[in-house]
Amino acid sequence: MAVKRVSHEPAYVLHRYDWSESSLILEVFARHHGRIALVAKGAKRPSSNFRPVLLPLQPLQLSFSGDAEIRTLKSAEWMGGHVMPTGEALLSGYYVNELLLRLLARDDPHEALFDAYAGVVQVLAGDHAAAQAATQSAALRAFELLLLREVGLLPALDAQTLTLAPLQGEVRYTLVPEAGLREAFEDEPSLQGADWQALQAALDDFAPFVATLRACAGVNGALRIQLRNLLNYHCGVATLRTRQMMRDLQAL
């Protein structure tokens, strides 16, 4: 039986684990193959061509072979375009990676989500001046929405989930894990119906990441709390590891 080989596949490294004294196991997000596992033999050796390339948040082209759960990495090439994010932006990138590791099944392609991931990484790797902080935060909210929709965990945002009643523009609604989108009680984090409808329209745009980023820019604070609760619920944790790390660093 011929061993399947894939060449020049656009991909990002999400995480890496030690495997033996000289090799690594990589968790990779590939455009046409989804989340896959690869073994990079000899990658820890000082002379390995893999050492300077297999970094997270960097656009790569990978070639690999095999039909088992863990394939064998044959070559890796850095595609350039941006440098590694730093500081809080780097932690935000690790947060996005943790979301993918927790919510994506193996070998399940998501080409549109891959393009959104490339978009958010590019934003995080941009100018880290204070003026960019709001854009980076909106990019994270846009990616969270697109990820939840792509894996089937986001209800329609232009109707109440349980009743299917259309939203009213000036009425406030909240997104909760157990019931989806419903009318908000007093003091609950919420958005106006018009804001939810704008987010749904952005998700349906031909360029959803850019459109959703713009739609998130004006509602980031309240949306952040609601999406965090929804993500933690579906990830099965009270707080994601990278989020807790960011809190600890901010406290210092």
Side-chain angles (χ1 to χ4, degrees):
M1 181 176 178
V3 176
K4 182 178 179 181
R5 183 179 178 104
V6 175
S7 299
H8 309 300
E9 171 71 4
Y12 288 85
V13 173
L14 300 178
H15 196 56
R16 42 192 269 177
Y17 311 87
D18 289 336
W19 186 68
S20 78
E21 294 183 358
S22 61
S23 301
L24 295 170
I25 296 290
L26 309 174
E27 288 280 0
V28 168
F29 187 28
R31 191 173 194 276
H32 303 103
H33 298 268
R35 184 169 73 89
I36 59 175
L38 302 174
V39 56
K41 295 181 179 179
K44 293 164 63 178
R45 293 177 182 145
S47 60
S48 173
N49 292 330
F50 289 146
R51 274 180 71 91
V53 176
L54 298 178
L55 301 174
L57 307 174
Q58 294 296 297
L60 306 175
Q61 270 195 357
L62 305 180
S63 297
F64 53 89
S65 65
D67 51 14
E69 182 179 1
I70 301 178
R71 287 93 152 174
T72 300
L73 181 66
K74 296 298 184 182
S75 67
E77 180 182 358
W78 180 57
M79 298 310 295
H82 60 74
V83 298
M84 179 75 76
T86 59
E88 189 171 333
L90 178 60
L91 288 177
S92 294
Y94 288 150
Y95 163 72
V96 170
N97 286 358
E98 184 179 1
L99 288 180
L100 291 175
L101 289 168
R102 288 182 177 272
L103 293 178
L104 287 189
R106 286 265 178 86
D107 298 302
D108 187 14
H110 293 278
E111 295 183 18
L113 185 62
F114 181 90
D115 294 340
Y117 177 86
V120 72
V121 169
Q122 189 169 9
V123 171
L124 294 174
D127 185 2
H128 299 145
Q132 292 296 318
T135 300
Q136 292 176 5
S137 185
L140 291 177
R141 304 292 84 76
F143 183 79
E144 290 167 346
L145 284 168
L146 289 163
L147 171 59
L148 286 165
R149 185 180 72 163
E150 190 74 11
V151 298
L153 299 176
L154 185 72
L157 301 181
D158 54 3
Q160 296 187 61
T161 302
L162 297 181
T163 66
L164 301 182
L167 305 187
Q168 300 179 45
E170 295 184 357
V171 175
R172 302 195 72 84
Y173 301 89
T174 187
L175 183 62
V176 294
E178 300 84 358
L181 197 62
R182 62 160 171 78
E183 194 166 336
F185 300 125
E186 188 176 357
D187 297 330
E188 279 189 308
S190 60
L191 300 177
Q192 287 190 333
D195 295 324
W196 288 117
Q197 290 167 336
L199 288 169
Q200 183 63 55
L203 289 168
D204 294 336
D205 192 84
F206 71 95
F209 176 70
V210 174
T212 307
L213 188 158
R214 291 171 178 164
C216 289
V219 296
N220 181 66
L223 182 61
R224 178 183 183 182
I225 297 171
Q226 296 171 81
L227 290 181
R228 181 171 299 175
N229 291 336
L230 186 59
L231 287 163
N232 289 345
Y233 177 83
H234 288 297
C235 289
V237 294
T239 304
L240 289 168
R241 189 175 305 171
T242 44
R243 280 294 184 196
Q244 187 59 52
M245 187 183 302
M246 292 172 73
R247 288 179 184 176
D248 293 344
L249 289 174
Q250 288 169 354
L252 292 174

